[in-house]
Amino acid sequence: MDQRGIEFMFYGLSSAWLLLAAYAVTLVVRERRIHEEIHRLRNLVEDRDRK
Amino acid sequence: MRSKLLYACGLLAALLLVRNLYVVLLQLPDDADQGAVYRIIFYHVPSWFTAGMAVLTALVASVAYLIRKDLWWDTLAVAATEIAVVFITIGLVTGSIWGRVAWGIWWTWDARLTSALVCWLLYAGYLVLRTAIEDPSARARISAVFSIFAFADIPIVWYSIEWFRTQHPAPVLRGEGYMDPQMKAALYANWPALMLLAAVLLAVRMRQEAARRELDGLRRQAHSL
C-alpha cells in the first residue's frame, strides 16, 4: 500500500468505526437505565397501591 | 422473535462492514494522486448517503405525524433524526481528516462544508429542542414542524457543489464526474452495509423511545399517588 497519507487514512477509518461503536454503547447504557427506572417505578406504584 | 431478527441483522451488517474493510484496505489499488488516504471516501460518502436516507425518513415521519397525530410517527422521526446526527458527524469528521491531507487544512467555510455543518446543527438542535418540551403531544407537534423546516437545508447541502465554487470536490458519482468502476463498486457496497446497521440502530432506538413513553406514564402515576 502507498504510504502517503496512511496515518490520516487510519484516523479517518478509526473515527468512523469509533463513532458508531460509541453510539451503540450509548444506546445500550441508555436502554439499561430506562429499564431499571421502569422497574423501580413499577415497584413503587405497586407498593403504594397495596397500602 | 423481533430481538433475534435485530441481532441477526446487526451481525450481518457487522460481517458486511468487515468484508468491505478487507476489500478497501487490501484489494483496492491506491489512488495515483492521493495515495492511501483516498480510502476515507468509502466511509465518508456512504455515511452521508445513509444520513440522507435518515433525514428523509424523519421528514416523512414528521409530515405523517402532523396528518395522523399518531405518536408512532413521532417515535420514528426522533429515532431517524438521532441516527442521522450520528452519520452526519461521521461524514463531517472523516471529511475533515481527508481535507487535512488533500487541502492542507482541517476546515474551510465553503458552501458545501458550511451547509453540512448547518445541517448537523439543525438536527442536533431538534434533539435538544425535544428535551425542553414536557407535554408529549406538544413535543411531537413542534418537533415535526422543526424537522420539516430543517430538511430545507438538505437540497442546499446536496447541490452546493454544483451551485457554488467550492473547495469540496465536484460530484464524482453523478454528472460529469468519473470514478474507477472497481472503486465505485466498493463505495456502493459499503452503503447497504451502513444502511442495514442504521436500520438496526433505528429499531433499537424506536423500542427505547416506546419504553421512555412508558417511563413518563409511570412517573406521572408515581407523582399522583
Side-chain angles (χ1 to χ4, degrees), chain B residues 99-211:
Chain B
R100 176 64 185 82
V101 179
W103 308 330
I105 45 173
W106 292 101
W107 185 262
T108 182
W109 295 101
D110 79 349
R112 168 53 78 86
L113 274 69
T114 307
S115 58
L117 181 64
V118 168
C119 178
W120 186 88
L121 289 170
L122 281 168
Y123 285 105
Y126 169 99
L127 296 175
V128 175
L129 173 75
R130 290 184 67 91
T131 62
I133 308 166
E134 279 189 24
D135 177 54
S137 308
R139 180 169 58 213
R141 193 178 60 250
I142 294 167
S143 305
V145 172
F146 188 88
S147 182
I148 294 165
F149 161 74
F151 192 83
D153 185 49
I154 301 301
I156 302 172
V157 177
W158 183 261
Y159 288 109
S160 56
I161 47 178
E162 289 172 28
W163 292 343
F164 306 101
R165 235 177 71 184
T166 57
Q167 179 85 30
H168 188 281
V172 290
L173 298 171
R174 57 193 161 95
E176 292 172 5
Y178 175 79
M179 192 178 199
D180 180 85
Q182 199 185 352
M183 293 174 181
K184 198 184 257 186
L187 194 145
Y188 280 128
N190 229 14
W191 185 24
L194 287 180
M195 282 292 291
L196 187 61
L197 182 65
V200 172
L201 295 173
L202 183 86
V204 172
R205 183 64 184 83
M206 282 183 77
R207 202 171 59 182
Q208 219 170 69
E209 194 63 19

Side-chain angles (χ1 to χ4, degrees), chain A residues 1-21 23-49, chain B residues 14 17-18 21 24-26 30-37 39-40 43 47 79 82-83 86-87 89-90 93-94 97 100-101 106 194 197 201 204-205 207-208 211-212 214-215 218-219 221-222 225:
Chain A
M1 190 186 289
D2 190 334
Q3 297 299 298
R4 285 176 298 153
I6 198 162
E7 187 188 346
F8 284 87
M9 179 202 79
F10 173 74
Y11 295 153
L13 268 52
S14 328
S15 63
W17 281 87
L18 280 176
L19 281 164
L20 281 173
Y23 181 62
V25 169
T26 307
L27 277 182
V28 170
V29 171
R30 203 192 285 163
E31 180 141 342
R32 194 174 297 165
R33 274 191 198 149
I34 289 172
H35 284 295
E36 278 171 9
E37 184 73 2
I38 286 174
H39 185 69
R40 193 184 67 80
L41 284 172
R42 265 192 199 144
N43 286 344
L44 184 78
V45 170
E46 279 169 14
D47 283 350
R48 289 203 185 170
D49 279 349
Chain B
L17 284 167
V18 170
L21 186 65
V24 165
L25 288 178
L26 299 172
D30 290 306
D31 182 83
D33 295 327
Q34 299 181 42
V37 79
R39 288 181 171 84
I40 286 176
Y43 291 86
S47 291
E82 200 172 285
I83 303 299
V86 172
F87 282 96
T89 308
I90 293 174
V93 170
T94 52
I97 292 169
R100 176 64 185 82
V101 179
W106 292 101
L194 287 180
L197 182 65
L201 295 173
V204 172
R205 183 64 184 83
R207 202 171 59 182
Q208 219 170 69
R212 190 175 276 181
E214 188 191 343
L215 183 62
L218 280 168
R219 274 187 187 138
Q221 217 177 328
L225 288 171

